[in-house]
Amino acid sequence: MLITFLLLGASVSVNVALVAGIVARLSGLTTARAVLVAGPAFIAVFSLFITAWGNLK
């Protein structure tokens, strides 16, 4: 169950990071700054899944 939950978290996190990067790029930021937006977005959403897993146990 843990592996499934982590894979789900990683999948959702990647999608959020992609959307954040695309929105940042469309708003006029350079590619490097869009990456700087997408990275923390991935970390934030994935950490929510880790926290949720800890609360389920």
Side-chain angles (χ1 to χ4, degrees):
M1 171 115 176
L2 172 63
I3 297 298
T4 304
F5 198 77
L6 290 178
L7 286 175
L8 174 66
S11 174
V12 171
S13 299
V14 166
N15 287 329
V16 168
L18 284 173
V19 169
I22 290 169
V23 169
R25 190 71 180 108
L26 289 175
S27 69
L29 293 179
T30 63
T31 303
R33 288 190 184 241
V35 168
L36 291 175
V37 168
F42 176 87
I43 293 168
V45 173
F46 194 69
S47 67
L48 289 175
F49 273 86
I50 299 296
T51 303
W53 174 256
N55 289 334
L56 288 175
K57 291 189 95 178

